[in-house]
Amino acid sequence: ADRDAILARLNAAETLDEMASAGLAIEAIAEETAAKQTLFAALEGIVGAQAILASNTSSLSITTLAAELARPERLVGLHFFNPAPVMALVEVVSGLATAPEVAATALETARAWGKAPVPCRSTPGFIVNRVARPYYGEALRIVEEGVADAATVDAVLCGAGGFRMGPFALMDLIGIDVNLAANEGVWRGFNFDPRYAPTALQREMVAAGRLGRKAGRGYYDSGPEAPPPAPLLAPPAPAPGHIVLRGDLGPARPLAERIAASGLALARADGPPAILVDDYVLAPTDGRPATLRRAAGEAVDAVFDQARDWASASHTAVALAEQADEGALTAAAGLFQALGIAVAPLGDGPGLIALRTLAMIANEATSAVETGVCAAADLDLAMMKGTGWPAGPLAWAEAHGLAHVLAAVDNLAATFRNDRYRAQPLLQRAVAAGRGIL
C-alpha cells in the first residue's frame, strides 16, 4: 500500500516539455558544467516564470551554472548526500545571483521533506566537501611521511578520534578516483592553496587502477578472501608499578580521571603536564615532535595522542623521542593497556594522528565561517548530518580548548614550515579575545 501510494505521486517525464508544470526542477545529471548549463537553458524556456531551478551538484559553482540564464536569480543548489533517502543533510547553496526568496523557499521545501537543510554560499566544496578535506589530506600525508600505515591511521581515528569509519576505508568506499577528483576541484577552486593540495599517493593509486572496493583493491584488498586490515599495535606489556600525574593535563584531563578510576596506584605532583610511568615521562602531544621537545630542554621521553573522548577511547598513538630508550614505549603501552586502550607506536610525526587531524579540520571550519560560507552552528550541523561525525568540529575545538587547538596548528606550521598549516585569523582572534566561535 505504501509503495502504491508513493508511485501514485510520481510521474515519469520522457521529454523536457513534460516538465512545464513543475514548480521546482532539480537537476542530477553528469557533473559537467557545460552539460548542466545546456539543460538549464532548455528548462528555462519550458517551466513557468515562478518555477525554481536547482542543481544537485556537489562541487560546481552555482554562480557559473546560472551565468547563462536569462533569470539567474532563480537557480539554487540543492546538494543531497548519498544515499539521499537516508542522509538528512541538504546543502542549500546560493550563487551570487540567487534571490534570497528562492533560497528560502528551497530551504523550507527541504525541511518539509524531513531533511536537515543548511544554507551556504557557493564556494568550492560548499561546506562538507571543503571542511572534510583535512580528514583525508592529513591521513594521506601521515602515511607518506612514514609515520604510520593506513590501517593504523584508521584504527586511531576511529578508536581515539571517534569517527565511524577511518579515512582510508572511507576513500575505498567512495572511490579513490572520486575522492581525488573532489580534492583537485577544491584545490583548483581556491587557486591551488596548499591547504587542499592532493598527494602523490592518491595519484599513484588512481594511476595503478587501485580505486577501492569497486576495483577490488584500494588502500585495502577487498576481495572475498582478503584479511581484515591489521593496525600495527604494541604487544602486551606489564602494568606500571608507579604512576605520577604531574600538573594539569588540559585536554587530556579526562585521561587522568580514567587512570584514577582504574584502581592503579598513583600519586600527584606539580610541574609541567605529564604522566610519569616508572620514571618515564609521557606528555600529551601539543603538535611538536617528542624529539624536538626533548632537544629544546623538556624532559619528555614520549608523547601520546589526544582523544575526542577519553572515557570511551579504545586506541591511542605514542611516539618515542629519539633521545629516549625503548623502555618508555613499553611503559606507555603498559599504562594504556591496563586502561583497556590499545597503543599504536608511531614514528615521531608532529601532532601524531588524532590531534593533527582534528585540529586541522577545526582550523578549516573556522576559515569557512570567517569567509561567510555559512554560520558556525550550521557548519557543525552539516558535518554531523552529512558525514555522521559524532560532533561538529567547532564544538570539538571549543571543548578541547581553542587555545590548545591554535597551539597545535602553530606547532604543525613551525615543524613543517609549510603554508598548509597556517592558523586561520578567526581562530587567532577568538583565542586572543577569550571567546568562542559557536
Side-chain angles (χ1 to χ4, degrees):
D2 289 344
R3 178 205 62 197
D4 292 343
I6 291 169
L7 291 175
R9 296 195 296 271
L10 300 177
N11 297 291
E14 296 187 3
T15 68
L16 286 182
D17 289 337
E18 296 176 64
M19 298 290 291
S21 63
L24 169 62
I26 306 174
E27 161 277 316
I29 66 167
E31 192 74 344
E32 299 171 1
T33 297
K36 293 180 187 295
Q37 286 179 323
T38 298
L39 175 60
F40 283 127
L43 278 173
E44 189 176 37
I46 294 170
V47 299
Q50 301 306 310
I52 293 174
L53 303 179
S55 175
N56 182 48
T57 180
S58 61
S59 59
L60 299 179
S61 165
I62 298 300
T63 299
T64 300
L65 295 182
E68 303 299 322
L69 295 178
R71 292 184 54 205
E73 69 275 8
R74 64 168 165 173
L75 180 67
V76 67
L78 278 177
H79 179 212
F80 294 80
F81 282 71
N82 193 34
V86 176
M87 300 300 286
L89 179 64
V90 180
E91 291 176 327
V92 180
V93 188
S94 293
L96 286 178
T98 304
E101 59 271 20
V102 167
T105 299
L107 197 74
E108 291 306 315
T109 301
R111 188 171 288 122
W113 291 337
K115 295 296 186 181
V118 172
C120 65
R121 185 169 61 84
S122 182
T123 58
F126 308 145
I127 303 173
V128 173
N129 282 335
R130 172 183 177 174
V131 176
R133 296 269 53 91
Y135 187 58
Y136 309 109
E138 295 310 311
L140 288 158
R141 284 165 173 77
I142 287 167
V143 170
E144 285 192 333
E145 292 159 14
V147 171
D149 64 10
T152 303
V153 171
D154 278 3
V156 172
L157 282 174
C158 292
F163 296 98
R164 294 174 62 185
M165 183 178 284
F168 291 100
L170 188 53
M171 285 185 280
D172 272 6
L173 177 64
I174 294 168
I176 295 169
D177 54 336
V178 174
N179 186 266
L180 174 60
N183 200 158
E184 290 184 326
V186 174
W187 184 46
R188 287 193 301 270
F190 282 106
N191 297 313
F192 306 103
D193 190 313
R195 279 159 47 203
Y196 314 106
T199 65
L201 178 56
Q202 288 171 287
R203 290 179 170 143
E204 287 179 347
M205 295 293 285
V206 172
R210 298 183 181 183
L211 306 181
R213 291 190 190 181
K214 63 186 176 184
R217 187 173 184 182
Y219 296 108
Y220 303 117
D221 187 345
S222 54
E225 305 298 324
L232 178 62
L233 300 176
H242 181 61
I243 304 171
V244 177
L245 299 179
R246 192 178 70 189
D248 184 349
L249 296 183
R253 198 175 298 119
L255 172 61
E257 296 168 3
R258 185 165 172 173
I259 295 171
S262 70
L264 293 170
L266 60 89
R268 296 182 183 270
D270 295 330
I275 304 173
L276 280 61
V277 181
D278 297 336
D279 296 325
Y280 288 106
V281 180
L282 314 179
T285 181
D286 62 2
R288 293 177 294 163
T291 302
L292 299 189
R293 293 174 67 170
R294 181 76 170 254
E298 291 188 45
V300 172
D301 295 301
V303 294
F304 61 87
D305 212 344
Q306 187 51 260
R308 187 189 292 270
D309 177 13
W310 276 114
S312 61
S314 61
H315 290 70
T316 192
V318 174
L320 191 67
E322 292 187 19
Q323 303 92 328
D325 66 67
E326 289 291 330
L329 182 58
T330 302
L335 169 65
F336 286 108
Q337 289 169 359
L339 302 175
I341 300 173
V343 172
L346 304 185
D348 192 19
L352 302 185
I353 295 175
L355 178 62
R356 174 173 171 176
T357 302
L358 288 165
M360 288 301 292
I361 291 171
N363 191 50
E364 187 61 37
T366 64
S367 175
V369 171
E370 180 166 34
T371 54
V373 174
C374 60
D378 285 341
L379 184 144
D380 269 12
L381 177 65
M383 298 312 296
M384 289 188 290
K385 295 294 186 180
T387 65
W389 289 358
L394 296 174
W396 170 81
E398 293 193 353
H400 184 84
L402 292 181
H404 291 289
V405 175
L406 177 60
V409 175
D410 282 344
N411 287 332
L412 289 169
T415 304
F416 285 112
R417 303 183 185 185
N418 184 326
D419 199 40
R420 173 184 177 84
Y421 298 98
R422 65 188 186 274
Q424 296 304 301
L426 175 58
L427 178 59
Q428 297 179 56
R429 292 199 308 275
V431 171
R435 65 173 178 85
I437 296 174
L438 282 170

